[in-house]
Amino acid sequence: MRVSSRGDVDPFIVMDVMAAAARAEAAGRHIIHMEVGQPGTPAPAAARAALAQAMETGPLGYTVGLGLPALRARIARLYRDWYGVDLNPERVVITPGSSGGFTLAFTALFDVGARVGIGAPGYPSYKAILQALGLQTVMIGTEAQHRFQPVPADLPADLDGLLVASPANPTGTMLDRDALAALIGACADRGAAFISDEIYHGIEYERKAVTALEITDQTYVINSFSKYFSMTGWRVGWMVVPEDHIRRIERLVQNLFICAPHASQVVALAALDCTDELQANMAVYRRNRALMMEGLPKAGFTRIAPPDGAFYVYADVSDLTGDSRAFAAEILEKAGVAVTPGLDFDPLRGAGTLRFSYARSTADIEEGLARLARFMAAR
């Protein structure tokens, strides 16, 4: 059959690493997972209990396209509680994960052929979704002195849009208010749309992340219950759009997705009030972060910097390898630790970088660091 070139997207390498790790586990090996950005904890207990009750009392059919009104209102209250932002709940759109949010945002904002900037290193699926929608990805190389975040001087004049993540994947770095405002202003000067990926908000260590909504209403903000709320497999997220874009997004949701999964929305609504359990998860991430910052240099991975948020350490391993994919495969084979090659995040410089995730249990992190130390000592 005929095929479209829009489907010729690059593979998501971390998924290949996961598959290799799964094959090793099927063969009887115990693998420590530092490759995937997935919490090792389930959805909060009270949230799961809320779903069990809802399943006994109703059919959990379609919701309205924009999502359960109670969930949208509760998310609006989250912005008041976390950031002091007074948000109209009508601007909140419930999506099938952040991936659904990106698809909606790119479709609503850009015509085929539009040029959308993303920072490198950055989340690889941005580029894949843009390509599948017939859009042009403009890779913006970022520098260590800017904490691997774009700055206005990096932006070409002919951008139609810019997507920025803070905290970022794979680096965990964050933009402060002034830096975020400068990028938003630079986009406004160019007539370019600004999209803020805030999926790792809530997972911060030294300071609170800044939402783009503190600076402007003329932005798309995308978030998810996957990371802080520990609900990756539930596939539910949200986006905040300008008021004059609500109906545009609603029409797209109705036709592309109908709605986000009703069951997941029920869990999400209850999860928003599970603060104690979620903060207990954060205590694990803080402990794991400290272990990584101490253990990775001892193992021989010395070119690292503390992440501001998320649960990743991005390491420069160019002194150890010129092929991060082969190096990651060697680590999996010989150490039994799955890590992600930097090529996933930066096609030009990623051959000399690795991403380590510390989202799993502290016991796993301790064991993984011990295995890495033994591997590096014998290498």
Side-chain angles (χ1 to χ4, degrees), residues 66-284:
L66 294 178
L68 293 172
L71 177 56
R72 297 166 70 199
R74 182 63 184 83
I75 290 171
R77 181 155 66 88
L78 180 76
Y79 281 88
R80 185 191 67 199
D81 296 343
W82 278 14
Y83 314 104
V85 170
D86 185 14
L87 181 63
N88 176 2
E90 295 298 314
R91 295 174 58 194
V92 178
V93 179
I94 308 305
T95 62
S98 64
S99 299
F102 294 127
T103 301
L104 289 167
F106 298 159
T107 305
L109 291 171
F110 307 118
D111 290 317
V112 171
R115 292 167 51 81
V116 182
I118 59 175
Y123 179 54
S125 291
Y126 298 149
K127 180 180 177 183
I129 297 171
L130 288 166
Q131 179 179 334
L133 292 173
L135 306 172
Q136 296 184 53
T137 303
V138 180
M139 301 298 295
I140 299 171
T142 62
E143 303 299 334
Q145 63 263 35
H146 297 137
R147 301 281 285 141
F148 294 107
Q149 291 281 4
V151 297
D154 296 332
L155 306 184
D158 58 348
L159 281 184
D160 295 297
L162 176 68
L163 170 60
V164 170
S166 173
N169 176 11
T171 61
T173 62
M174 297 195 314
L175 293 160
D176 62 24
R177 186 186 180 94
D178 289 345
L180 185 58
L183 287 170
I184 291 172
C187 285
D189 291 343
R190 290 164 170 77
F194 187 85
I195 304 170
S196 183
D197 178 358
E198 302 181 1
I199 190 173
Y200 291 100
H201 278 222
I203 307 178
E204 310 113 346
Y205 301 103
E206 306 297 336
R207 57 189 171 91
K208 182 67 185 165
V210 179
T211 175
L213 296 169
E214 295 179 52
I215 300 165
T216 181
D217 287 331
Q218 296 304 304
T219 182
Y220 274 43
V221 167
I222 295 174
N223 209 321
S224 171
F225 287 89
S226 289
K227 309 300 182 178
Y228 174 72
F229 295 96
S230 196
M231 290 175 54
T232 51
W234 295 89
R235 309 315 302 138
V236 60
W238 76 88
M239 60 194 298
V240 181
V241 303
E243 290 196 10
D244 58 349
H245 286 229
I246 295 170
R247 181 57 178 164
R248 172 179 294 269
I249 291 293
E250 184 175 33
R251 293 194 303 263
L252 286 168
V253 170
Q254 290 169 341
N255 287 284
L256 293 179
F257 306 117
I258 300 180
C259 64
H262 191 164
S264 299
Q265 293 188 58
V266 171
V267 178
L269 177 58
L272 284 158
D273 291 321
C274 295
T275 303
D276 290 346
E277 187 171 345
L278 297 171
Q279 285 303 304
N281 293 345
M282 277 302 303
V284 174

Side-chain angles (χ1 to χ4, degrees), residues 281-294 313 358-366 369:
N281 293 345
M282 277 302 303
V284 174
Y285 300 149
R286 289 190 182 94
R287 173 60 178 157
N288 291 354
R289 175 178 180 260
L291 289 170
M292 296 290 277
M293 296 313 299
E294 178 184 0
V313 176
Y358 53 88
R360 306 290 285 236
S361 71
T362 297
D364 275 0
I365 299 306
E366 290 172 334
L369 288 168

Side-chain angles (χ1 to χ4, degrees), residues 24-37:
E25 288 172 324
R29 298 188 64 193
H30 175 219
I31 302 299
I32 299 296
H33 291 274
M34 290 185 172
E35 82 280 28
V36 65

